[in-house]
Amino acid sequence: MQKICSIYRSPKEEGMYLYVDKKDDLKPVPEELLKRFGKPELAMTLLITPDKKLARVDAGRVLEMIEENGFYLQMPPTSVYDMQWLRDRNSKL
C-alpha cells in the first residue's frame, strides 16, 4: 500500500502534525480535533510507502491509521523533564 499524503503542522503545538491522504485532504479530520490543532499549515506532500523512513513515526502505522480513520495525528515528543516526572511519580505508587 502507498499513498500520496499531505502533512500539516500545527501552529499551536510545536511538533504536532496531521497526515492525510492528499485526495481526501482534511475532510475526514473531526472538527473538534481541527479546533485544538489550529489552522493547519501545509508542511509537505509526500509519497508514503510502508518502508519509507520518516523522522519520528513508522510509515506503516501512518498508512494503517489513514486507511482506518482518514488521518494520522503525530503528537510532539515528550520532554526529558516530563519523562522524569512520570518516572518519579510511578516509583512512589
Side-chain angles (χ1 to χ4, degrees):
M1 171 179 22
Q2 63 182 23
K3 290 187 182 297
I4 297 175
C5 295
S6 295
I7 304 167
Y8 293 93
R9 80 174 56 88
S10 170
K12 290 184 172 183
E13 185 81 39
E14 181 70 32
M16 184 183 289
Y17 292 88
L18 261 175
Y19 292 70
V20 295
D21 191 324
K22 186 177 187 317
K23 68 179 174 59
D24 296 329
D25 202 39
L26 296 166
K27 286 184 265 180
V29 181
E31 191 62 38
E32 193 62 35
L33 174 56
L34 287 174
K35 285 179 189 173
R36 292 194 68 193
F37 189 81
K39 184 176 183 199
E41 300 170 350
L42 184 63
M44 68 181 81
T45 301
L46 192 64
L47 174 64
I48 298 181
T49 61
D51 60 335
K52 177 84 172 167
K53 297 281 186 215
L54 299 173
R56 290 190 345 242
V57 67
D58 176 66
R61 180 75 174 142
V62 171
L63 292 171
E64 180 183 313
M65 295 306 293
I66 290 174
E67 192 66 29
E68 287 179 24
N69 302 319
F71 67 94
Y72 175 82
L73 178 64
Q74 177 181 316
M75 297 299 289
T78 305
S79 74
V80 174
Y81 173 79
D82 291 339
M83 292 302 292
Q84 185 61 48
W85 180 84
L86 283 172
R87 215 173 293 123
D88 291 346
R89 183 154 172 93
N90 284 336
S91 68
K92 295 175 185 173
L93 297 177

